[in-house]
Amino acid sequence: MMSVLLAIGLFSACGNSDDIPDTNDHSEKEGTGTIEKSSGQMVDFQLQNEDGMECYDFKEGDNIIFRLEIKNDTDEDAILPPFSEVLGLDVFSVYSREGENIGTPWDVIMTSFRECEIIGAHNSAVFVCPWFDIPALYYNGTEHYYSEYFYKKDDKSNL
């Protein structure tokens, strides 16, 4: 199930825009969820345990933290389409082995109304959302908000 989560997260969370040049020079670091472009842009998807450690071996009932980082290791700001277009509206979707959609760790995704998002030179944008609520991850101390884009309304059942 974790392999399916990783694959789905990588493919549903990443996208290209016609406005952004793509060198098609991508490489995936072996054994990780990191996709790197020679231009210095990188996408890193991880599943983590509650201690914030990368983990892909969970037991039923364990909390899974979904973490996606878009890095800009260049000397110039990166201009991206709105993050809702980059991430999509099904980011962090969980599926059973049989392909049944179990759901997402969030209930509402906040979309951006700006035409583009900017990631500064040598900076990154990080998106995290746990399956179960974790007060330490609340956005700016606001309960049920995660990474500014995700909002939880309902309790989730065990995975």
Side-chain angles (χ1 to χ4, degrees):
M1 184 163 141
M2 292 303 128
S3 298
V4 172
L5 286 172
L6 178 60
I8 290 169
L10 285 174
F11 292 113
S12 70
C14 305
N16 286 330
S17 169
D18 295 337
D19 299 334
I20 299 172
D22 188 348
T23 62
N24 288 325
D25 187 10
H26 301 87
S27 62
E28 183 171 351
K29 291 183 179 179
E30 190 171 326
T32 71
T34 302
I35 298 175
E36 199 167 358
K37 289 177 68 172
S38 64
S39 64
Q41 298 162 351
M42 192 166 37
V43 175
D44 184 27
F45 174 78
Q46 294 180 352
L47 298 178
Q48 298 179 339
N49 61 25
E50 282 195 338
D51 296 326
M53 303 299 296
E54 185 172 8
C55 182
Y56 297 96
D57 186 25
F58 295 93
K59 292 181 271 185
E60 183 176 346
D62 284 353
N63 199 0
I64 299 173
I65 312 285
F66 298 81
R67 182 181 187 278
L68 177 70
E69 182 175 11
I70 303 172
K71 298 178 184 179
N72 175 15
D73 287 333
T74 68
D75 293 330
E76 297 180 13
D77 292 350
I79 300 172
L80 301 173
F83 287 137
S84 59
E85 289 181 27
V86 174
L87 298 176
L89 298 176
D90 61 349
V91 64
F92 304 147
S93 291
V94 176
Y95 294 85
S96 70
R97 289 180 192 218
E98 295 77 31
E100 177 188 348
N101 186 346
I102 304 297
T104 59
W106 49 269
D107 294 308
V108 177
I109 191 167
M110 308 299 185
T111 58
S112 174
F113 295 106
R114 294 179 282 193
E115 289 186 22
C116 66
E117 301 282 349
I118 298 174
I119 301 177
H122 303 286
N123 281 306
S124 60
V126 178
F127 306 91
V128 292
C129 193
W131 189 257
F132 299 120
D133 278 336
I134 298 177
L137 293 178
Y138 292 163
Y139 177 72
N140 287 337
T142 305
E143 189 175 3
H144 306 300
Y145 280 92
Y146 299 91
S147 293
E148 184 179 9
Y149 287 89
F150 307 110
Y151 176 72
K152 289 178 175 276
K153 296 189 304 186
D154 301 321
D155 291 333
K156 302 295 177 187
S157 15
N158 290 342
L159 292 177

